[in-house]
Amino acid sequence: MTTLELRNVNKHFGGLHVSRNISMGIEQGELTAIIGPNGAGKTTLFNQITGYIAPDNGNIFFDGLDITGKDPEILVKMGIVRAFQVASLFIDETVYDNLYLAALAYHGKNGNFFTNRRVYKDVAEHCHFILEKLGLSGKEKLKAFELSHGDQKVLDIAIALTMKPKLLLLDEPTAGMSPDERVKMTHMIRNIHEEFKLTTVFVEHDMDMVFGIADIIRVLVHGELIAEGNAEEIQKNPAVIDAYLGHEVL
Amino acid sequence: MKTKLTEMAPWLAYFVIFVSMIFAGSDHSIHVASQIIILGLFAIAFNVLFGTTGLLSFGQAIFYGLGAYITGMMAKSFGADFFLWALLIAPVAALALSAVLGVLSLRLSEVYFTMLTLAFAQLAWGICVKWSSFTGGDDGIQAIPKPDILNMGGRNYYIFALVIVSICIYLLWRLDRSPFGSVLKGIRQNPIRISFIGLNVFRHKLFAYMISSSFTAIAGGLYAGIDKSIHPDMLVWTMSGSIILMTILGGMRSFFGPLIGVAVFILLEDVIGRSTEYWSFVIGIIMITVVLLFPKGIVGVSRHFAGLFAKKGGQFDNP
């Protein structure tokens, strides 16, 4: 079953054609990597899928429903949730409160203006579950700004997971991380993908990670989808080698 | 979930100070205390927007004035009994007005929002001054009647105002630690993330604006009863500006900070004003000192020094 389908999606920024007639179908349970050189339009594609910007034309379908141009908050409720290239956190709050706010939103408590926010046992349990799953237990009382860069990225993903996504989009999950952290993050993504039965799409420049865990790899160059396939197919694809991988990789 | 002592301590101090004023205060100090609690409510309500949500409205005086004029004009036209009704109508009117102004201004970002709120408030002030047949113009409204029981000296009215202000502050305090309050703090820190946890930023901002404005109108209505007179200066931009200053002076990251700022400001004005005509100069220097040296305000400074003596570990707002 196709979870996410793009049909002829186009986006211009002024004279720049950042998404060129992109069509793709992402199957349920698939772990997809989107790769491509800087400026290929990967983040712009994410922004269109998650409703942050609308495509100029073309359509996006989620579980068969046309979601083109819908706002992020509606898409999040439908199950399309993202993490950001630069961790997007509530920086003055503790790790726990970052998740707690997300969980309050998930459980629909956000409009309640008279109850003490701490009373909700289900919300608290939800947070502890996520803390544990992502290895953030023990750090819950730290403020978000006190975390290492790597932990901030993990917290960003934790906030996304708190929303119980069906489709999870990760924008460069290992950007700026140390080699150790990259390995941990790679394992973590594979684990949460399987454990939460997600459909996952991630943008990444770390080819070890891409070829290591992705089921399907899709290559964007200058806003155009030039190839899709499994690791072996992509590594052998001459267009991809020319445009992005370079010959020395092989 | 049990409420912690540190959360209750400010309330205890609040009641000890303001209730003792009833018994200890001279007429003058009761008058000063009345001003403090009423402007304190204004400042705390303003801080729901400013310190909590990160929205700097430079025009909250419009709702303060609205509350005052509704109360003043109703009591003046329909008699003393309507004073109490007016105090109920004022916040409802503010709710309606703020819904309209909020829809128009909250879509704009940061400085444009601030400028537009200022423009609306100045417009209202202009109407108030020019339309003298309706509003009393420059002179405002004098001899506003209120029910007899509130009339015997300043003390009865102070008690009445203290009850209403305390209820309002309590409601705003509940809001501050509610889920809705958490969302507002989230909007201040990262509005984009708020929409990506499935919440509508605009709608939450609008509710915050409406709630803040209606409590501001209650403060304005109460003010109409202190001296039985109101004037267009309540709507002018320096009124909004003073509230911003007092909030910063007290500490915008603390719930009671704005009230402390108002109290310190009014007491300074009272004390220094008695000894020199250049009191505004002295207050100006104090303001500059606080903002430059202690950007977190009086509460921020005292938390800092308390932290030096207390053992490490957040005494505020642990999960």
Side-chain angles (χ1 to χ4, degrees):
Chain A
M1 190 185 142
T2 308
T3 292
L4 182 73
E5 191 188 350
L6 277 65
R7 268 186 222 160
N8 306 317
V9 168
N10 279 287
K11 183 74 194 175
H12 293 81
F13 289 140
L16 199 64
H17 201 165
V18 263
S19 297
R20 290 171 193 259
N21 232 21
I22 296 178
S23 295
M24 63 171 80
I26 294 175
E27 298 298 311
Q28 189 180 3
E30 201 177 283
L31 180 55
T32 293
I34 294 183
I35 63 172
N38 287 323
K42 304 184 293 293
T43 299
T44 304
L45 190 64
F46 264 33
N47 286 343
Q48 293 172 87
I49 296 169
T50 57
Y52 190 57
I53 55 176
D56 293 341
N57 52 56
N59 292 85
I60 302 172
F61 297 88
F62 176 68
D63 281 348
L65 295 168
D66 190 344
I67 57 161
T68 319
K70 286 210 191 314
D71 288 329
E73 59 260 30
I74 293 166
L75 299 180
V76 168
K77 295 219 164 86
M78 292 174 77
I80 304 176
V81 185
R82 72 180 290 182
F84 292 77
Q85 194 171 353
V86 176
S88 179
L89 311 171
F90 305 110
I91 206 78
D92 296 335
E93 310 290 339
T94 62
V95 169
Y96 184 80
D97 279 353
N98 268 270
L99 297 181
Y100 200 84
L101 179 48
L104 283 172
Y106 177 79
H107 291 272
K109 310 292 189 199
N110 52 292
N112 193 330
F113 55 82
F114 194 68
T115 315
N116 185 338
R117 69 183 189 279
R118 301 285 179 215
V119 301
Y120 305 107
K121 288 215 167 61
D122 48 344
V123 176
E125 270 168 31
H126 190 156
C127 292
H128 285 295
F129 174 74
I130 298 285
L131 278 170
E132 203 173 312
K133 284 290 168 205
L134 295 200
L136 286 168
S137 303
K139 293 176 182 161
E140 64 257 40
K141 287 191 178 176
L142 291 177
K143 296 274 170 83
F145 67 82
E146 296 173 316
L147 294 176
S148 70
H149 175 80
D151 279 341
Q152 288 190 341
K153 295 283 281 187
V154 174
L155 179 56
D156 194 26
I157 295 173
I159 294 174
L161 277 182
T162 305
M163 303 315 296
K164 297 202 179 166
K166 292 180 196 155
L167 173 64
L168 178 65
L169 298 105
L170 306 171
D171 196 350
E172 297 200 27
T174 70
M177 284 188 169
S178 68
D180 276 0
E181 288 174 325
R182 278 166 190 257
V183 173
K184 268 193 218 158
M185 179 60 88
T186 307
H187 285 302
M188 197 187 87
I189 290 173
R190 186 81 232 181
N191 286 342
I192 58 179
H193 174 76
E194 276 160 16
E195 182 162 356
F196 290 84
K197 298 190 168 48
L198 301 172
T199 305
T200 307
V201 185
F202 67 99
V203 164
E204 190 50 68
H205 286 293
D206 182 336
M207 288 307 124
D208 290 341
M209 176 178 178
V210 169
F211 293 127
I213 66 171
D215 301 325
I216 305 281
I217 297 156
R218 294 178 162 88
V219 187
L220 274 186
V221 176
H222 296 310
E224 203 174 346
L225 182 67
I226 63 164
E228 47 189 331
N230 62 28
E232 206 180 332
E233 289 161 357
I234 293 296
Q235 279 168 328
K236 285 182 186 157
N237 187 314
V240 178
I241 293 168
D242 274 353
Y244 182 52
L245 292 179
H247 294 273
E248 73 276 20
V249 171
L250 310 172
Chain B
M1 197 133 305
K2 62 175 186 273
T3 310
K4 286 184 193 142
L5 189 66
T6 45
E7 281 187 314
M8 280 298 144
W11 277 111
L12 195 65
Y14 171 89
F15 280 113
V16 167
I17 292 169
F18 289 111
V19 171
S20 66
M21 289 304 296
I22 298 171
F23 306 104
S26 64
D27 280 354
H28 176 70
S29 49
I30 289 233
H31 189 259
V32 172
S34 305
Q35 286 183 320
I36 289 176
I37 55 170
I38 289 168
L39 280 181
L41 173 59
F42 186 173
I44 287 177
F46 162 73
N47 206 37
V48 170
L49 293 178
F50 183 49
T52 308
T53 318
L55 287 168
L56 176 54
S57 165
F58 213 127
Q60 287 311 92
I62 194 173
F63 303 107
Y64 190 60
L66 179 77
Y69 272 86
I70 285 179
T71 309
M73 288 161 80
M74 280 191 73
K76 188 88 177 169
S77 317
F78 306 129
D81 291 343
F82 278 88
F83 186 85
L84 297 177
W85 284 110
L87 281 177
L88 283 176
I89 292 168
V92 176
L95 221 52
L97 179 63
S98 61
V100 176
L101 298 189
V103 167
L104 293 173
S105 60
L106 283 166
R107 297 222 181 254
L108 304 179
S109 59
E110 319 232 321
V111 73
Y112 300 99
F113 167 76
T114 305
M115 287 298 117
L116 199 57
T117 53
L118 174 60
F120 284 133
Q122 287 300 90
L123 183 69
W125 172 75
I127 292 171
C128 221
V129 171
K130 294 291 177 196
W131 195 3
S132 45
S133 59
F134 186 56
T135 63
D138 263 337
D139 301 330
I141 300 171
Q142 274 81 37
I144 298 164
K146 54 188 187 223
D148 285 341
I149 185 137
L150 299 177
N151 254 333
M152 296 176 286
R155 183 166 281 111
N156 282 8
Y157 191 71
Y158 173 69
I159 296 170
F160 171 72
L162 183 60
V163 170
I164 292 185
V165 166
S166 301
I167 293 170
C168 292
I169 292 180
Y170 176 71
L171 293 173
L172 290 170
W173 182 74
R174 294 292 301 226
L175 182 145
D176 187 64
R177 30 183 249 157
S178 70
F180 183 73
S182 294
V183 175
L184 297 184
K185 288 168 197 168
I187 288 174
R188 183 190 78 230
Q189 295 168 58
N190 193 344
I192 290 175
R193 191 34 126 171
I194 288 291
S195 42
F196 281 103
I197 57 171
L199 301 177
N200 184 307
V201 173
F202 174 76
R203 202 175 301 151
H204 285 82
K205 276 184 182 173
L206 182 62
F207 286 149
Y209 187 66
M210 290 166 67
I211 290 169
S212 168
S213 301
S214 58
F215 281 104
T216 303
I218 295 176
L222 285 173
Y223 190 87
I226 294 188
D227 294 327
K228 302 178 189 170
S229 85
I230 53 175
H231 40 83
D233 281 359
M234 291 177 74
L235 283 129
V236 83
W237 67 273
T238 49
M239 183 73 233
S240 304
S242 312
I243 288 296
I244 297 172
L245 282 180
M246 294 183 215
T247 302
I248 293 171
L249 178 70
M252 61 173 167
R253 286 289 179 273
S254 131
F255 181 78
F256 282 98
L259 176 64
I260 294 169
V262 167
V264 169
F265 194 93
I266 290 181
L267 289 174
L268 280 175
E269 200 176 65
D270 188 50
V271 172
I272 301 170
R274 259 182 272 171
S275 44
T276 167
E277 59 181 301
Y278 300 112
W279 57 272
S280 54
F281 176 73
V282 179
I283 289 182
I285 289 185
I286 293 172
M287 278 304 304
I288 291 169
T289 314
V290 168
V291 170
L292 288 181
L293 295 181
F294 315 113
K296 286 179 180 167
I298 295 167
V299 172
V301 179
S302 34
R303 275 183 188 171
H304 176 73
F305 284 112
L308 291 181
F309 294 109
K311 51 177 192 260
K312 196 174 162 15
Q315 59 271 56
F316 302 102
D317 198 36
N318 275 336

